DNA sequence: ATGAAAGCGCTAACAT
DNA sequence: ATGTTAGCGCTTTCAT
């Protein structure tokens, strides 16, 4: 196989051990020992990436041997192993994950589809997902639907095409049809929904304590003396709108307050919808004395309006919102919220997914609810407890 | 090749056109026409993903023909093409991007390394990067260093291993050594630095108008009547700390104000460092009447402290910061900032990278500076202009 | 302990 | 217009 560098013949050449980590040859015909010092003179030709075959040629051994050495299999002589490792360093070898994945039939990669990284909830959840992934030896591939159903579907296709081992999905606010998710299911690709889940399909989900959170916030308002409580929700079709509304109603009911449809406002969750909602509420014949917004961002927009009109917070009007972030903390007055712990949600979701990947479990439809916490701040606290 | 489903012989079978989009066969031996209706009875066995070979078998044609049809090459009969397309739908075929990439030697994927998605700048930049990527037919693979040098290096390795076509990098605040970047360069993988760039290595970069931004902010403070202006920077070793300090000094110089080292404060960019910085400044024998923070988040932390001490903003002390976000806008008083337009930075970075990928240009070291804008708000505006 | 060969899914050059 | 073949980089039998 190896040509003698002296007599150019092939027939008499045999390998004769290693020297300085390199394969040594002996030509029986011309009785000559040699090492292929300048074997890598071939490299500059393709200045790109050394492959396993490059290593093999470099050492004068078989590619399969290199592979085994690299992967720490037994049945490899310490000598060869050392030589391979050294060669890998010398040639700056990096395994080609594409090839590995293609061969193994798995990528060790998890696809994540989120609607908007600019929402603090998703940014934080994403950070925690990434952390768990690193710790457990997975990679993540993040796709961003920018709240567009079309892009979300495109993203899902891309991730399937990349043969991710599993999918973590939170839907865009536009999304109304779910064939793309059905397709994932049909292909037995493990999937976990989180936060913006889809209720029409039976998948594992990680959600918040939406009912309890709403209930706690509204009960808190009532305990602070509010009796006319307005609620600002997302789109009516949203599951979380519905369930958070139920929490709201349950709290009113507990304290014998009648539900007034005029105090229920649905929005499209666009920027500044809080402003519009506030306009609506303040122009009611009998304006609320407490306002609960499904998104804390909206609660803050409402407070901005209230302050413009010199309304005293929380005395004249108290505010609470769902979900915490730094703005809620630093805005004045600081906003009372139900913190739904984005970090815990992200962690729960990826852990559940990894578990399902490992067990090849694509049928489970566990629903995990992450415990939240009422954080009372200045926007609602009137000294009563 | 195809066994006759009647006489089980292979020799006499020839293809005889298509029927309902399916390959039709004719067995010369038993004089029998047939279609492989139940060919896909094989599918459930591997309920996973149809491959190009599955399609080929299904239609009784060659895999390469399927490939060509799928890729819209010329030289394919409309008939075959239609049949292939239909089969692709029937079997829910999705190309395996791993295989495609391995074969083509490129992935159409761009790797993005950012230190922290939870910072609004990176969240917004990331969203714009993703958008451009989608529009230009690239995918992105996002990695998150969580401000850790070790994870950043790991991420870089991962992305190289995934054979991304190019890299978009913003360093963690910890990062001090850059061999991982050198390695990228050595492998001729196109790379573009943005925001947190590395000056020790000659790479293309997209940066802000750091000098001009600082200059404008400080000049604005001076024009509002401030004479004792404190500056809070990041780590001294950071390039942006240095350059923003220069802008600060230049503005003072222009108005004949002497630079006082006591008014310069370096921080490690941790949470609440603004609080510490404020403590420092307020305890100086001669406290500043204007404060400039390199990160607007820090400016806000300082204002929180100032308000606690009943300091009048902007009359007694004015505040400005670098970088805009919703908190700057909604905090009271709203913060005067130099907006460095994260969206534009992200777009510029990915466009530059894609250009270099297409031109196989790995040596260019263009430096693009994205134009920013002074946004004057309540934290500093005293009515003068 | 190591090599040879097949195969993961796809594309492209080369037939025909 | 379509089939055959080789090869992308890697792992994994199966030999030896």
């Amino acid at each position: 196989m190896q040509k003698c560098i002296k007599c150019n013949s092939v027939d008499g050449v045999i390998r004769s051990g290693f020297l300085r980590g390199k394969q040594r040859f002996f030509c029986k015909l011309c009785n000559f020992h040699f090492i292929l010092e300048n074997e890598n003179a071939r490299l500059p030709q393709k200045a790109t990436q050394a492959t396993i075959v490059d290593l093999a040629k470099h050492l004068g051994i078989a590619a399969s041997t290199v592979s085994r050495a690299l992967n720490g299999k037994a049945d490899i002589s310490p000598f060869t192993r050392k030589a391979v490792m050294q060669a890998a360093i010398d040639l700056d070898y990096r395994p080609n994950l594409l090839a590995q994945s293609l061969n193994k039939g798995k990528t060790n990669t998890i696809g994540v589809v989120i609607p908007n990284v600019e929402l603090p909830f998703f940014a934080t959840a994403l950070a925690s997902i990434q952390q768990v992934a690193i710790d457990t030896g997975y990679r993540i591939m993040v796709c961003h639907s920018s709240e567009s159903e079309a892009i979300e579907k495109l993203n899902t296709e891309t991730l399937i095409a990349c043969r991710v081992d599993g999918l973590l999905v939170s839907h865009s606010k536009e999304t109304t049809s779910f064939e793309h998710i059905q397709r994932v299911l049909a292909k037995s690709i493990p999937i976990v929904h989180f936060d913006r889940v889809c209720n029409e399909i039976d998948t594992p989900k990680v959600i918040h304590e939406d009912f309890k959170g709403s209930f706690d916030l509204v009960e808190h308002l009532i305990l602070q003396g509010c009796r006319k409580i307005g609620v600002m929700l997302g789109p009516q079709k949203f599951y979380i709108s519905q369930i958070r509304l139920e929490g709201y109603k349950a709290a009113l009911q507990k304290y014998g307050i009648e539900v007034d449809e005029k105090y229920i406002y649905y929005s499209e969750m666009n920027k500044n919808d809080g402003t519009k909602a506030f306009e609506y509420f303040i122009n009611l014949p009998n304006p609320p004395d407490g306002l609960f917004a499904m998104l804390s961002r909206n609660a803050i927009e409402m407070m901005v309006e209230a302050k413009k009109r010199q309304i005293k917070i929380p005395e004249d009007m108290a505010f609470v919102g769902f979900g915490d972030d730094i703005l809620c903390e630093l805005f004045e007055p600081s906003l009372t919220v139900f913190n739904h712990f984005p970090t815990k949600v992200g962690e729960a979701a990826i852990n559940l997914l990894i578990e399902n990947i490992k067990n090849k479990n694509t049928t489970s439809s566990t629903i995990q609810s992450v415990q939240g916490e009422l954080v009372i701040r200045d926007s609602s606290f009137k000294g009563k407890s």
Side-chain angles (χ1 to χ4, degrees), chain A:
Chain A
M1 196 106 288
Q2 180 55 54
K3 208 155 59 169
C4 171
I5 60 174
K6 193 170 181 186
C7 69
N8 258 343
S9 123
V10 172
D11 308 321
V13 176
I14 57 166
R15 284 184 286 125
S16 65
F18 287 93
L19 195 57
R20 278 173 285 135
K22 299 188 172 156
Q23 181 65 53
R24 188 160 169 255
F25 294 94
F26 178 66
C27 174
K28 287 190 281 197
L29 298 185
C30 60
N31 198 19
F32 178 65
H33 277 288
F34 63 97
I35 308 168
L36 298 175
E37 285 293 10
N38 45 4
E39 178 72 347
N40 51 5
R42 186 182 24 68
L43 261 192
Q45 173 205 0
K46 52 167 192 171
T48 40
Q49 267 290 2
T51 73
I52 212 169
V53 176
D54 292 326
L55 297 196
K57 282 190 187 150
H58 182 77
L59 296 170
I61 59 178
S64 52
T65 307
V66 174
S67 171
R68 277 185 294 240
L70 251 20
N71 291 302
K73 307 274 185 195
D75 289 13
I76 287 283
S77 83
F79 220 58
T80 308
R81 164 161 295 131
K82 225 178 134 191
V84 169
M85 291 313 189
Q86 188 55 50
I89 293 172
D90 292 346
L91 303 194
D92 197 27
Y93 167 81
R94 309 283 142 166
N96 184 327
L97 251 34
L98 294 171
Q100 262 178 199
S101 300
L102 179 60
N103 185 298
K104 294 261 195 72
K106 67 192 190 76
T107 53
N108 261 291
T109 301
I110 287 171
V112 184
V113 183
I114 53 173
N116 185 358
V117 249
E118 298 185 63
L119 296 177
F121 172 82
F122 288 108
T124 307
L126 186 55
S128 72
I129 288 170
Q130 156 104 33
Q131 190 56 54
V132 173
I134 285 195
D135 295 345
T136 51
Y138 282 87
R139 281 176 290 281
I140 64 173
M141 190 153 178
V142 183
C143 289
H144 206 234
S145 67
S146 307
E147 300 282 14
S148 145
E149 175 163 10
I151 297 184
E152 179 182 312
K153 293 192 168 172
L154 208 71
N155 286 340
T156 315
E157 289 298 330
T158 301
L159 292 171
I160 294 179
C162 290
R163 300 297 190 269
V164 292
D165 292 348
L167 238 31
L168 241 33
V169 177
S170 197
H171 287 293
S172 90
K173 68 183 181 197
E174 273 185 359
T175 307
T176 53
S177 86
F178 299 96
E179 315 96 49
H180 56 308
I181 304 299
Q182 295 284 16
R183 203 145 44 222
V184 172
L185 251 43
K187 292 194 189 300
S188 312
I189 301 172
I191 186 174
V192 169
H193 272 111
F194 71 104
D195 188 54
R196 306 239 199 111
V197 304
C198 153
N199 286 285
E200 300 173 24
I201 305 187
D202 200 31
T203 55
K205 303 180 211 304
V206 175
I207 54 174
H208 315 293
E209 292 186 321
D210 292 291
F211 181 89
K212 179 172 187 300
S214 298
F215 183 93
D216 286 358
L217 286 168
V218 175
E219 178 175 49
H220 164 73
L221 284 178
I222 297 171
L223 293 176
Q224 296 301 312
C226 300
R227 285 297 172 271
K228 301 173 292 179
I229 300 176
V231 57
M232 171 180 181
L233 300 164
Q236 187 155 13
K237 61 170 197 257
F238 267 33
Y239 177 70
I240 51 168
S241 295
Q242 294 160 21
I243 194 98
R244 290 183 191 181
L245 178 60
E246 281 176 35
Y248 163 89
K249 287 181 175 170
L252 293 190
Q253 198 159 15
K254 174 171 173 189
Y255 293 91
I257 303 173
E258 215 167 305
V259 174
D260 185 341
E261 292 293 331
K262 286 199 296 298
Y263 288 151
I264 301 175
Y265 181 94
Y266 290 98
S267 82
E268 286 306 311
M269 304 211 303
N270 292 318
K271 222 190 155 189
N272 290 324
D273 272 359
T275 313
K276 287 187 212 156
F278 188 82
E279 298 276 355
Y280 167 81
F281 284 125
I282 203 69
N283 288 320
L284 286 177
N286 194 3
D289 54 8
L291 281 173
F292 161 40
M294 201 182 86
L295 294 177
S296 54
R297 182 67 40 102
N298 291 329
I300 287 176
E301 287 165 0
M302 294 201 281
M303 285 202 285
V304 169
E305 289 305 305
K307 284 167 76 174
K308 278 188 195 157
R309 293 156 205 253
Q310 324 286 347
I311 292 170
K312 277 201 203 111
I313 304 172
E315 295 76 6
D316 298 345
M317 204 178 262
F319 292 83
V320 298
F322 214 104
D324 198 14
D325 65 45
I326 184 143
L327 182 57
C328 303
E329 201 182 323
L330 293 183
F331 188 82
E332 298 202 20
S334 57
L335 180 68
T336 293
V337 295
F338 187 76
N339 183 355
H340 48 10
F341 296 114
T343 302
K344 288 204 281 178
V345 173
E347 285 169 358
I350 187 167
N351 282 326
L352 183 53
L353 179 64
I354 290 177
E355 200 180 302
N356 285 346
I357 291 175
K358 294 217 163 126
N359 302 339
K360 301 200 190 312
N361 185 348
T362 56
T363 52
S364 124
S365 51
T366 333
I367 297 193
Q368 270 183 38
S369 174
V370 170
Q371 234 181 346
E373 180 189 45
L374 184 65
V375 182
I376 297 174
R377 299 209 181 94
D378 299 340
S379 67
S380 68
F381 188 64
K382 309 184 189 175
K384 298 155 195 171
S385 61

